[in-house]
Amino acid sequence: MIEARRLHILRAVADHRTVTAAAAALYLTPSAVSQQLAALEQETGHRLVERGAKGVRLTPAGEILLSHTHVVLAQLERAEAELAAYGSGEAGTVTVAAFATGIAEVVAPAVARLAAYAPGIRIRVQDAEGDASLPMVLDRQVDVAVAVEYRGAPPADDPRLTHVPLYAEPFDAVVPVAHRLAGAPEVPLAELAKDPWIGPYPGNPCHEVVVLACEGAGFQPRLEHSSDDFRAVVALASADVGVALVPRSALRGMDLTGVVVRPVDGEAPTRRVFAAVRRGAEDHPLIRPVLEALGEAARS
């Protein structure tokens, strides 16, 4: 009989590519992970992983078992949801990981809504970028992630996750007041090809949006200044050290002295925001109201 906890470990190893990283995500020691993998191989009668200089990869037998693992773990999530519903499930804690603007735009309003009509649900919020929050959901560190679509992110049909679209917003061009395009009603990205740029660090989903938008305009942005805090990005632009693309919601309430904000000419780069939970958990009586509250906050 295969133990479900060992399937969790197999999936973590497949996701993180090393025993050490999987162990850290699961709050286990590397030796404990190795022991559980060895026990799983004994249970199945097949070698499931191969270790190499670049980490761990699954064998063909391991890949077969992983495909069933996604189904089994999703079904266990559904079983937990039904049992929680049977036992009322009207009170408990749900942990939500979200990026800063997502917290302001949808998470905080959702918390306020839940306090009114589901006071038994307590929300714990953690600030995390989308590329960090999705692995946190898969590793069971949090229950819900509010994340941004980005190159390399798990797709909407990923068997491990259920995606719930929330909202999409354009990026606006932010240029110093003395910039040659400050008076233009719209800013063509191609006209910024030779400018120094300010933007998020690689790995941040917004970095991917900016780079892809510039590539679509025919150039690679020369990122000379980096910050994941858009207030810092705007402050640097106001110091006339570069130009930037910033999500529109991130500019609300910000001190824009020294900069001009203009829409992008043509098709604007867009940040698409969604909520994600482990597949099968979307109907849990604690998680379902949270997803509904996030959706209502996004629509309003």
Side-chain angles (χ1 to χ4, degrees):
M1 180 71 68
I2 297 174
E3 291 193 19
R5 64 192 177 100
R6 290 175 181 150
L7 295 179
H8 280 292
I9 289 172
L10 178 71
R11 186 158 81 177
V13 169
D15 287 343
H16 294 281
R17 304 293 183 182
T18 71
V19 169
T20 301
L26 298 172
Y27 300 101
L28 297 171
T29 64
S31 62
V33 169
S34 295
Q35 290 170 8
Q36 292 299 318
L37 287 175
L40 185 59
E41 289 180 330
Q42 186 173 3
E43 286 174 344
T44 61
H46 293 279
R47 187 179 182 187
L48 302 174
V49 298
E50 292 180 345
R51 292 170 172 80
K54 296 183 178 181
V56 176
R57 69 178 185 87
L58 299 190
T59 64
E63 293 287 356
I64 291 172
L65 183 58
L66 181 65
S67 67
H68 290 284
T69 292
H70 298 323
V71 177
V72 170
L73 295 184
Q75 191 59 41
L76 286 174
E77 293 282 357
R78 294 186 186 100
E80 289 181 8
E82 288 190 23
L83 287 170
Y86 177 77
S88 80
E90 295 179 355
T93 300
V94 176
T95 303
V96 179
F99 57 99
T101 310
I103 292 173
E105 288 294 303
V106 293
V107 177
V111 170
R113 290 171 184 270
L114 288 167
Y117 69 80
I121 299 178
R122 176 174 176 264
I123 305 297
R124 293 180 62 248
V125 180
Q126 297 185 22
D127 189 331
E129 292 297 339
D131 58 323
S133 62
L134 294 175
M136 290 168 74
V137 168
L138 291 171
D139 293 334
R140 305 180 70 86
Q141 297 173 10
V142 301
D143 303 301
V144 181
V146 175
V148 178
E149 290 182 5
Y150 62 95
R151 184 165 47 186
D157 60 353
D158 189 293
R160 302 168 297 171
L161 295 167
T162 293
H163 284 222
V164 179
L166 294 178
Y167 66 93
E169 62 172 329
F171 281 63
D172 288 325
V174 177
V175 301
V177 291
H179 193 274
R180 63 189 181 281
L181 295 177
E186 296 181 332
V187 173
L189 281 185
E191 295 295 318
L192 302 177
K194 295 183 179 180
D195 285 85
W197 279 73
I198 313 156
Y201 285 100
N204 185 314
C206 288
H207 173 90
E208 297 291 335
V209 175
V210 171
V211 170
L212 286 173
C214 293
E215 288 177 351
F219 69 98
Q220 283 282 341
R222 179 162 53 91
L223 282 162
E224 292 196 357
H225 310 279
S226 297
S227 175
D228 287 334
D229 186 336
F230 285 116
R231 290 171 300 179
V233 170
V234 171
L236 287 168
S238 71
D240 201 10
V241 300
V243 300
L245 288 174
V246 177
R248 187 166 291 172
S249 65
L251 294 167
R252 291 181 192 146
M254 194 181 292
D255 181 5
L256 300 177
T257 303
V259 298
V260 171
V261 178
R262 293 288 184 265
V264 173
D265 184 30
E267 185 175 353
T270 301
R271 175 160 73 172
R272 303 184 188 281
V273 180
F274 63 94
V277 299
R278 292 180 295 278
R279 189 171 291 271
E282 61 272 15
D283 289 326
H284 192 286
L286 293 179
I287 292 177
R288 184 177 62 253
V290 174
L291 294 176
E292 291 172 352
L294 289 170
E296 290 169 4
R299 287 190 292 274
S300 63

